[in-house]
Amino acid sequence: MSRNFLWGSATAAYQCEGGWREGNKGLSNWDVFCHSEKNDVNPVTGDVACDHYHRYEEDIRMLAEGGQNAYRFSIAWTRILPTGVGERNREGIDFYNRLIDTCLQYQVEPLVTLYHYDLPQPLFEAGGWENRRIVEQYLEYARICFEEFGDRVKYWVTINEPNYETLCCYGYGNYPPNVQSLERRWRAMYHMMLASARAVSLYRELGNQGMIGLVSDSYPIVAGDISPECEKAVRKAELFFNLCVNDVCVKGSYPEDFLEQLKEDGYDLSYMLSEDLEVFAKGTVDYLGINAYNRYIAEPCEGDGTNLKANNKGNGENEKFQIGGWFSLGEDKNMEKTPWGMEICPQSIYDLLMTLKELYPRTPVIITENGVGNYDEPVEGQIHDAYRIDYLNGYVDWIEKAMEDGCDVRGYFVWSTMDVYSWINGYKKRYGLVYIDYDSEELRRIPKDSYYWYKNKIQEKGMKFHG
């Protein structure tokens, strides 16, 4: 394979495609949730979103004209298998064939995610990722995608963010099934990791020649102070956010102290079967995808309680995050933050990459998402997002520093290619390099200042980043 550095941007199917009833597509858990009374924080849907389903050629052309040579997108399981199982849907397969072929027409490398939050509703109703049967169902779906698209797709992602998705589903409770139960979270995440390992092994058994990995939202975690109590909190935060995913997919096993903590919490772990140990050991990834946004400051718990509340209103107010018996998260009041409470700290990517280099020295990294969401408004038909440029510029420069210091980074993807539906945050929280005018009937695309900055940055860094 070419070792050219991947300079790209990313989207996910439900967040950008629209066409929710077209092409014989089935209903996903997000289709149903967004049309239910539970969707009461920012009650909008992804029914149309950016209309990427019809506008993909324009979007990929703009991406390529912006100097990008790679596009990360996800496949909607419901377009391939409308009910999650059964006969493959040719209309959905044909859509992704057109999308992939368009990427290649514009010399854009497709990096394809098999699962990015949107689960076929019948599987969701049967327990979703909490039900072990989903591992075989996912594997059949993955097999179809490898068979249909593997001749042209050379970079694959099995699962997007097992940590963050399950934290939202079963911690904050703001994603379907909208419950708060960490015990159910660990069960669902376990089956995600098992499905990922099985898919990695299947990919190799089928003789594919590309690279397959998992995407993990990972965080550099620092201690609130130099006390031994804070150091213990850092370790537990590492287990909770990072190692419960990264160790499993890279090393092929769970950290012992993670399992001990779950036992100490009194959780039923009967779903962890002994025969799975070999599955995890065999299904280690070719690369680790990292969605990098911010860092965490770990401190000891204040009492025994757990407090999980998300800031989905963009009002700058964050609740105290605490996992009883594990850790709490502190705050550096001197750091700039977005209205959604995300700290702006580009140097954190260097610290994270150096940690990954130490933990997993033989596993390459691709930065599969990096970006910042905020309120963007046109001024005389233009979008001046200097804050985004500053943020992304800092990240790219610190990634370069990490590469110079020995971290094997193979690619960088900005989140997101264009403004997309931002899950429970709706449409006002914008991440895109391209502005989508949702008030216009034609969903007009307007490149932001950051789009042009990124094109220039790729030209500036391009040759230096090529391996």
Side-chain angles (χ1 to χ4, degrees):
M1 289 179 63
S2 167
R3 283 293 306 278
N4 283 352
F5 193 85
L6 301 175
W7 287 104
S9 56
T11 63
Y14 186 78
Q15 295 180 266
C16 72
E17 283 183 3
W20 75 299
R21 289 289 205 177
E22 296 186 55
N24 198 33
K25 179 189 169 296
L27 291 178
S28 75
N29 56 334
W30 276 89
D31 290 316
V32 174
F33 165 70
C34 284
H35 283 268
S36 77
E37 70 284 351
K38 291 182 180 180
N39 183 20
D40 60 0
V41 179
N42 293 294
V44 290
T45 75
D47 292 359
V48 178
C50 313
D51 197 29
H52 189 59
Y53 185 73
H54 299 107
R55 306 276 292 271
Y56 63 89
E57 195 276 340
E58 176 185 3
D59 293 329
I60 293 168
R61 174 178 52 78
M62 290 182 70
L63 180 152
E65 289 173 351
Q68 301 171 51
N69 65 8
Y71 175 42
R72 178 185 170 217
F73 62 90
S74 76
I75 292 174
W77 190 335
T78 48
R79 291 201 189 278
I80 306 301
L81 296 165
T83 64
V85 296
E87 293 293 319
R88 60 186 77 182
N89 174 31
R90 292 312 316 178
E91 288 186 73
I93 290 167
D94 289 346
F95 166 69
Y96 290 111
N97 275 325
R98 293 193 299 272
L99 179 56
I100 292 164
D101 289 345
T102 301
C103 286
L104 299 179
Q105 174 190 335
Y106 285 96
Q107 297 183 302
V108 169
E109 191 80 52
L111 189 154
V112 176
T113 303
L114 289 169
Y115 174 75
H116 194 133
Y117 296 4
D118 51 333
L119 193 63
Q121 180 66 11
L123 304 189
F124 176 78
E125 290 176 358
W129 289 105
E130 296 177 68
N131 186 337
R132 189 181 178 94
R133 281 187 300 170
I134 201 172
V135 175
E136 294 296 336
Q137 294 160 338
Y138 169 85
L139 199 65
E140 181 56 28
Y141 159 64
R143 179 189 297 275
I144 293 169
C145 292
F146 295 152
E147 290 173 352
E148 296 284 353
F149 313 123
D151 59 328
R152 287 152 295 153
V153 174
K154 303 305 178 187
Y155 293 90
W156 291 92
V157 172
T158 56
I159 308 272
N160 179 78
E161 296 181 338
N163 168 71
Y164 189 72
E165 184 188 1
T166 57
L167 180 60
C168 290
C169 294
Y170 302 101
Y172 298 127
N174 58 353
Y175 288 10
N178 308 100
V179 297
Q180 291 190 306
S181 168
L182 292 179
E183 183 166 23
R184 291 173 64 180
R185 175 198 193 220
W186 298 125
R187 178 188 292 268
M189 186 191 292
Y190 181 86
H191 292 143
M192 284 182 172
M193 300 308 299
L194 190 64
S196 175
R198 290 282 302 278
V200 168
S201 293
L202 173 65
Y203 183 74
R204 293 174 183 145
E205 289 165 11
L206 293 174
N208 291 283
Q209 299 302 307
M211 296 183 75
I212 186 165
L214 175 145
V215 163
S216 168
D217 56 298
S218 293
Y219 310 85
I221 297 171
V222 299
D225 58 44
I226 59 172
S227 68
E229 291 75 20
C230 267
E231 287 301 322
K232 291 177 183 175
V234 167
R235 175 62 185 179
K236 290 190 175 184
E238 288 276 11
L239 293 171
F240 187 90
F241 290 116
N242 297 337
L243 302 182
C244 62
V245 172
N246 299 349
D247 268 18
V248 182
C249 70
V250 177
K251 293 184 174 181
S253 61
Y254 278 90
E256 282 300 322
D257 50 347
F258 170 75
L259 297 176
E260 287 302 319
Q261 181 66 51
L262 296 190
K263 292 173 186 174
E264 185 179 316
D265 289 347
Y267 294 142
D268 173 16
L269 305 180
S270 58
Y271 54 86
M272 295 185 175
L273 305 184
S274 58
E275 57 259 37
D276 297 340
L277 296 175
E278 184 179 355
V279 175
F280 287 124
K282 283 179 58 181
T284 54
V285 294
D286 296 322
Y287 72 93
L288 182 62
I290 294 295
N291 289 354
Y293 289 93
N294 60 313
R295 66 168 186 166
Y296 285 142
I297 301 170
E299 299 174 343
C301 288
E302 299 174 0
D304 299 326
T306 291
N307 187 55
L308 291 171
K309 292 183 181 178
N311 175 0
N312 294 124
K313 285 291 190 181
N315 55 13
E317 296 178 8
N318 283 358
E319 297 273 353
K320 181 73 172 179
F321 182 108
Q322 176 164 300
I323 307 296
W326 290 64
F327 63 93
S328 65
L329 293 182
E331 181 180 5
D332 185 341
K333 296 189 181 299
N334 295 318
M335 295 295 289
E336 180 187 358
K337 297 179 181 65
T338 72
W340 286 264
M342 189 185 87
E343 186 182 81
I344 305 296
C345 185
Q347 184 178 344
S348 66
I349 189 62
Y350 176 83
D351 300 332
L352 175 61
L353 290 173
M354 288 296 98
T355 299
L356 294 173
K357 172 180 174 286
E358 181 180 341
L359 291 174
Y360 317 119
R362 292 179 295 279
T363 302
V365 171
I366 297 176
I367 307 298
T368 40
E369 289 181 25
N370 173 234
V372 59
N374 215 318
Y375 299 106
D376 289 341
E377 295 290 343
V379 177
E380 297 181 352
Q382 296 180 311
I383 295 86
H384 304 300
D385 54 344
Y387 70 91
R388 179 172 289 111
I389 292 172
D390 289 344
Y391 174 91
L392 297 175
N393 197 53
Y395 267 84
V396 172
D397 288 348
W398 279 106
I399 290 167
E400 180 180 16
K401 168 69 171 159
M403 292 171 70
E404 290 171 350
D405 290 345
C407 188
D408 185 3
V409 182
R410 303 283 181 89
Y412 174 79
F413 290 78
V414 174
W415 183 270
S416 51
T417 306
M418 60 278 196
D419 292 335
V420 297
Y421 170 74
S422 190
W423 304 113
I424 200 69
N425 298 298
Y427 289 100
K428 291 184 179 179
K429 188 180 187 183
R430 294 174 178 265
Y431 282 88
L433 295 169
V434 174
Y435 182 89
I436 303 291
D437 183 358
Y438 291 110
D439 294 327
S440 66
E441 188 174 336
E442 69 275 20
L443 294 171
R444 192 161 47 110
R445 272 78 166 142
I446 306 172
K448 302 179 187 179
D449 287 356
S450 57
Y451 169 92
Y452 298 105
W453 163 84
Y454 193 35
K455 180 177 183 177
N456 292 333
K457 195 71 171 180
I458 292 169
Q459 292 174 342
E460 173 195 337
K461 299 289 188 184
M463 292 307 297
K464 184 182 284 191
F465 276 46
H466 284 192

